[in-house]
Amino acid sequence: MLYGRLDDLRERTSTRLSKVLRETSSNHQHQRERDVATSMYTDQLSQFSAVENGLCFGRLDLDNADNDNFHDANLEYQYIGRIGLFNEEGAYEPLLMDWRAPAARPFYLATAAAPDGVRRRRHIRTQRRSVIDIDDEILDLEHADPSRHDGLAGESALLAALNASRTGQMSDIVATIQAEQDRIIRSGLNGVLVVQGGPGTGKTAVALHRAAYLLYTYREQLSKRGVLVVGPNTTFLRYIGQVLPSLGETDVLLCTVGQLYPGLSARGRESAEAAEIKGRPDMTKVLAAAVRDRQRVPEDALEIVFERDTLRLDRRTCVQARGQARRSRRAHNEARPLFEQEIINALAGQVAERLGADLLEEADIEDIRRELRESENVRDALDWLWPLLSPEQLLTDLFCSPARLTAAMPGFPTAEKDLLLREPTAEWTPADAPLLDEAAELLGEHDPEAAAREERQRRQAIDYAQGVLDIMELEDDADPDILMATDLLDAYRLAERHERAAPHTTAERAAADRTWTFGHVIVDEAQELSAMAWRVLMRRCPSRSMTLVGDVAQTGGLAGSASWKQALAPYVADRWRLEELTVNYRTPSEIMHVAADVLADIDPTLRPPRSVRHTGVEPWTQPLDPAELGVQLADLVGKEAVRVGDGRLAVLVPADRVRELGTAIASEVPDAALGADPDLSARVVTLSVEQAKGLEFDSVLVVEPRAILDASPRGANDLYVALTRATQRLGLVHTGALPAVLARLNDRDMAPS
């Protein structure tokens, strides 16, 4: 019945879309209406396709106070699924309750001690459109089995999901959300919520389901500004990319911090030390000094040839013009017209004196000013004194010049300045992106006049769109069963959506606009953000409506945060709330015992999350010959890949050996993946620990744990991350002695046969 209703909706929507596409008209208003309807119906069809798998995953059998027979047909049933579906006939009754609706919450929270009116909770597992398993939880104490209630809702369904082979893409947890996760997902929109949780506690899943919940609950507030989800790298974003569409949300912007600067491809590599310097809050002063350094004045005077005369622009005049422009508090490029006006006035005065100022009228003086502005020599002088700069030009000029670095970084050691030097053609790195964004704030629009023209055109488009919507609202013969554009759009969104070649969704518009501010921002692996990256995100969310998930024990980057208080104090002081996830759903207890030793070495006061399962498979180690590491490792990986079967195997290696060892592995396992953005659907993938953050695999081989530990001051954090990526099996491969922190593995130097 549910799939029948979904098919009916899909067919009706397809019919409406086909009808709209067949319509032709030269009328501009009708073309816009046609585009609105096309986009709306296309989005609906995408949603129907995305939620089809696992459409219904649960049922609540609700208590009927007037009936004591548990199996009576009059017991009220409420089906829970990915989206809401209604019976369009009669009273418009719900056939399927959206998991985000308040009425669906007992599916996640009801217990035998507090059943909340629920007699039985049914978990339904499907494959395509067929039911393959049912798990019932009896919450009525008279019928319940006390041994089954250990705090996990839907234990059978949960363990089935946890033990399933990984596919290279993250799966949603909508059918198995636990109580502590549900509380966080449904937390209010306002303020900064920090979700601290160890590995495997479902931080990422909670963050994504929270995004879907907020868009459902606060649709009106978030539809215009949108929701931003920030991840640590593009590999991670591809890994989580299908979760929100499977929950019925297709218009959320997923990006890295580097991608928040439109048009930037931050693929360059640099040392961890250079990235740490760029992430310091002091870089705001460095960039401000770099901008001031480009607002020049001559040592003596500039001589400018104008027509057949030579004009002199003395230092005092330039200093006064510069002071006037700086006192305006405008950004560098936006203050240029003020500086230019002062200089042109001074030069015009010289020309007027030579022509005879007493004989000239104001119109004559204005003509002189115009001619001076059009003079190539005058323009060259102005561009030297106060150049119009792009953020890219400012940073390239700064990082390619030892002299400019010295001028902008007077208090920095020479060694640190040398780390920032680069070639003009070098690729931008992820750490450059926040600096470019900061530079854009300091510089302002590169072409203020063009920006003003665009703003006027935008306002005209909005006014026109409002007129279109006003006319559409007056139509009396509209089918009430079909959504109109006025039900979904306001004039602002309509105008933005239908500009020629302009992006039409909120996410697309936001991605193209550096100044866009979001209704809510969600950050995964938030502990890795540098101080400069935090500045970017706070600019994107002035309302400070944010969800930050992470684990300070897993901070690997030198510019990352040691505590949430340290990261947030400059922006919200102590006005943030903390929630903790304490249950480890990913990592078996056998593996977590090993990882706990590393965690204790990081900070003895930290406690690992409690694992909900054990597999009976102990972590193992295998010593290899350093001279034959590549060959022996490839052979070992091939054997482990056979053991994993249909699952996924990750080989985590020191960052500087990914290419070398990954190539050796690929020679033994031809479909193995590696590279800067590897295919996670491959059976075997070679990664650095940084690339593996937030990911999970059936089996993990950690290669040279001592090298990972010694690679940086936060090597223990990286090792902790590496040890906690596996859902089933963990092996450690080493050519020397194991680090002392892994001492409990010393008696396990044998790979399983």
Side-chain angles (χ1 to χ4, degrees):
M1 183 177 181
L2 295 176
Y3 280 105
R5 178 59 178 151
L6 184 68
D7 288 340
D8 179 57
L9 288 171
R10 181 186 283 116
E11 182 179 354
R12 294 175 65 178
T13 304
S14 297
T15 300
R16 293 167 185 164
L17 177 59
S18 297
K19 179 181 176 181
V20 169
L21 293 175
R22 287 195 301 269
E23 295 176 352
T24 58
S25 174
S26 59
N27 181 279
H28 190 53
Q29 174 188 328
H30 187 270
Q31 289 177 348
R32 288 205 174 202
E33 294 173 10
R34 177 177 178 271
D35 290 343
V36 170
T38 298
S39 178
M40 179 185 69
Y41 293 141
T42 301
D43 289 346
Q44 287 179 351
L45 289 173
S46 297
Q47 183 192 56
F48 295 152
S49 297
V51 302
E52 182 169 351
N53 186 31
L55 174 65
C56 174
F57 53 79
R59 190 184 81 185
L60 294 175
D61 296 356
L62 301 175
D63 190 18
N64 187 331
D66 298 327
N67 196 321
D68 294 328
N69 185 351
F70 185 85
H71 298 288
D72 193 277
N74 292 324
L75 195 66
E76 181 182 351
Y77 297 145
Q78 188 176 87
Y79 289 90
I80 312 298
R82 296 176 180 276
I83 60 172
L85 293 177
F86 296 86
N87 186 346
E88 63 179 347
E89 299 177 359
Y92 203 60
E93 296 177 349
L95 298 175
L96 185 66
M97 182 71 65
D98 192 302
W99 69 275
R100 296 166 289 188
R105 199 169 191 190
F107 183 76
Y108 302 107
L109 299 184
T111 64
D116 199 15
V118 179
R119 285 200 181 185
R120 174 170 55 194
R121 172 170 47 213
R122 170 165 289 182
H123 293 265
I124 304 170
R125 292 177 60 205
T126 61
Q127 188 173 51
R128 296 184 176 89
R129 297 192 172 194
S130 299
V131 175
I132 61 173
D133 191 27
I134 291 176
D135 177 43
D136 284 343
E137 291 180 274
I138 308 302
L139 301 185
D140 186 319
L141 290 176
E142 294 183 4
H143 300 85
D145 178 0
S147 66
R148 292 200 57 191
H149 295 277
D150 61 357
L152 295 177
E155 180 178 3
S156 176
L158 174 64
L159 293 179
L162 296 179
N163 289 319
S165 295
R166 271 40 191 174
T167 64
Q169 284 191 328
M170 185 179 182
S171 300
D172 63 67
I173 61 168
V174 65
T176 57
I177 295 171
Q178 299 300 298
E180 70 171 4
Q181 297 172 328
D182 183 82
R183 183 180 67 253
I184 295 170
I185 289 169
R186 297 176 191 266
S187 183
L189 174 67
N190 296 329
V192 176
L193 171 64
V194 175
V195 182
Q196 164 72 32
T201 54
K203 298 184 297 297
T204 299
V206 165
L208 295 173
H209 287 67
R210 176 160 169 75
Y213 169 78
L214 292 176
L215 283 164
Y216 174 87
T217 308
Y218 302 96
R219 182 79 63 184
E220 184 175 347
Q221 293 167 253
L222 296 177
S223 61
K224 291 183 181 180
R225 304 314 308 170
V227 172
L228 168 67
V229 176
V230 178
N233 53 59
T234 54
T235 302
F236 175 85
L237 294 182
R238 284 194 296 105
Y239 175 67
I240 68 172
Q242 292 304 308
V243 174
L244 282 167
S246 75
L247 299 174
E249 298 297 341
T250 57
D251 194 16
V252 175
L253 178 61
L254 277 66
C255 69
T256 65
V257 171
Q259 292 169 331
L260 284 175
Y261 189 84
L264 180 68
S265 177
R267 297 181 179 274
R269 305 293 297 176
E270 63 187 340
S271 68
E273 292 76 14
E276 186 274 329
I277 295 169
K278 292 179 179 180
R280 294 178 191 173
D282 286 348
M283 288 303 293
T284 59
K285 298 177 182 177
V286 171
L287 294 178
V291 172
R292 288 195 302 271
D293 189 50
R294 305 304 293 272
Q295 299 166 356
R296 304 184 184 97
V297 295
E299 289 296 326
D300 183 17
L302 285 179
E303 293 188 346
I304 304 172
V305 176
F306 177 67
E307 295 182 344
R308 288 186 294 273
D309 291 332
T310 298
L311 306 178
R312 284 179 56 83
L313 195 56
D314 61 71
R315 177 180 174 83
R316 181 180 178 184
T317 299
C318 294
V319 169
Q320 289 176 341
R322 184 177 66 178
Q324 182 79 5
R326 286 178 173 177
R327 284 191 294 273
S328 72
R329 302 285 187 178
R330 296 182 186 180
H332 172 84
N333 289 332
E334 293 160 10
R336 159 75 180 247
L338 295 178
F339 178 81
E340 181 176 312
Q341 179 180 342
E342 293 297 314
I343 297 299
I344 293 294
N345 285 342
L347 294 176
Q350 291 185 40
V351 175
E353 284 294 330
R354 296 181 184 185
L355 294 176
D358 296 340
L359 302 176
L360 301 177
E361 298 180 354
E362 181 57 33
D364 299 321
I365 301 296
E366 187 57 38
D367 286 340
I368 295 172
R369 294 192 185 101
R370 177 179 53 78
E371 292 171 0
L372 285 166
R373 289 191 181 95
E374 295 173 354
S375 167
E376 183 176 347
N377 291 337
V378 173
R379 303 301 303 177
D380 288 344
L382 287 169
D383 288 342
W384 185 85
L385 292 166
W386 195 291
L388 287 172
L389 297 168
S390 67
E392 293 85 352
Q393 181 183 352
L394 177 72
L395 259 66
T396 298
D397 291 347
L398 176 65
F399 291 153
C400 293
S401 168
R404 285 199 171 107
L405 280 171
T406 298
M409 305 175 70
F412 285 69
T414 300
E416 292 188 349
K417 286 181 280 192
D418 290 344
L419 284 171
L420 299 185
L421 282 172
R422 50 168 277 174
E423 295 297 323
T425 57
E427 287 188 297
W428 296 109
T429 70
D432 288 325
L435 302 184
L436 288 166
D437 197 82
E438 187 75 22
E441 291 291 310
L442 294 170
L443 295 173
E445 290 291 341
H446 188 215
D447 188 347
E449 293 182 2
R453 287 194 302 272
E454 289 178 5
E455 178 62 20
R456 287 195 297 272
Q457 293 169 357
R458 189 182 71 88
R459 292 307 315 172
Q460 291 171 358
I462 292 173
D463 291 342
Y464 181 89
Q466 186 61 58
V468 172
L469 293 175
D470 290 343
I471 293 172
M472 294 174 70
E473 285 182 334
L474 296 177
E475 294 183 0
D476 295 326
D477 58 348
D479 186 342
D481 193 41
I482 300 178
L483 286 172
M484 298 292 291
T486 50
D487 297 320
L488 301 174
L489 298 172
D490 58 15
Y492 174 82
R493 295 182 69 198
L494 178 60
E496 288 287 333
R497 176 171 287 197
H498 300 290
E499 288 179 5
R500 183 178 299 275
H504 69 278
T505 68
T506 299
E508 288 172 341
R509 297 199 314 275
D513 185 354
R514 190 196 67 81
T515 63
W516 189 275
T517 57
F518 292 87
H520 192 80
V521 171
I522 294 174
V523 186
D524 203 347
E525 302 291 347
Q527 77 279 354
E528 297 293 348
L529 296 182
S530 69
M532 293 302 295
W534 280 113
R535 287 177 64 86
V536 176
L537 288 175
M538 293 300 173
R539 278 196 287 270
R540 297 296 189 274
C541 192
S543 67
R544 303 294 190 261
S545 176
M546 308 178 83
T547 302
L548 314 172
V549 302
D551 179 14
V552 291
Q554 297 185 61
T555 304
L558 298 182
S561 303
S563 73
W564 298 116
K565 182 177 180 180
Q566 168 195 329
L568 296 175
Y571 307 102
V572 294
D574 58 354
R575 299 185 303 278
W576 53 277
R577 59 194 192 277
L578 176 69
E579 292 281 0
E580 293 195 62
L581 293 169
T582 60
V583 179
N584 188 335
Y585 302 99
R586 176 205 302 147
T587 316
S589 58
E590 295 89 346
I591 296 176
M592 207 59 213
H593 288 156
V594 175
D597 292 341
V598 181
L599 181 63
D601 186 64
I602 295 170
D603 185 345
T605 66
L606 297 176
R607 294 290 177 266
R610 175 177 59 88
S611 296
V612 300
R613 65 195 175 101
H614 61 273
T615 61
V617 180
E618 294 289 343
W620 51 270
T621 70
Q622 178 67 59
L624 298 180
D625 183 348
E628 299 291 331
L629 176 59
V631 174
Q632 294 181 359
L633 176 62
D635 179 65
L636 190 63
V637 169
K639 294 176 181 177
E640 182 66 14
V642 172
R643 294 188 188 95
V644 175
D646 293 335
R648 298 297 180 270
L649 167 64
V651 185
L652 305 186
V653 305
D656 60 352
R657 304 194 71 176
V658 171
R659 175 60 59 182
E660 169 204 349
L661 297 178
T663 301
I665 290 168
S667 66
E668 178 70 21
V669 185
D671 58 347
L674 74 155
D677 195 10
D679 180 8
L680 296 180
S681 65
R683 283 193 312 131
V684 177
V685 59
T686 303
L687 301 165
S688 68
V689 178
E690 181 183 2
Q691 288 177 298
K693 276 187 176 291
L695 309 183
E696 62 182 24
F697 306 88
D698 298 273
S699 179
V700 170
L701 294 182
V702 179
V703 180
E704 299 287 39
R706 177 171 291 282
I708 293 174
L709 189 65
D710 295 340
S712 80
R714 286 181 170 165
N717 302 62
D718 287 338
L719 182 58
Y720 182 59
V721 171
L723 295 175
T724 54
R725 299 303 96 196
T727 66
Q728 302 292 337
R729 299 168 56 83
L730 172 68
L732 291 93
V733 178
H734 55 101
T735 58
L738 285 172
V741 74
L742 298 176
R744 72 165 64 215
L745 294 175
N746 282 334
D747 58 347
R748 301 183 195 170
D749 282 348
M750 182 184 297
S753 59

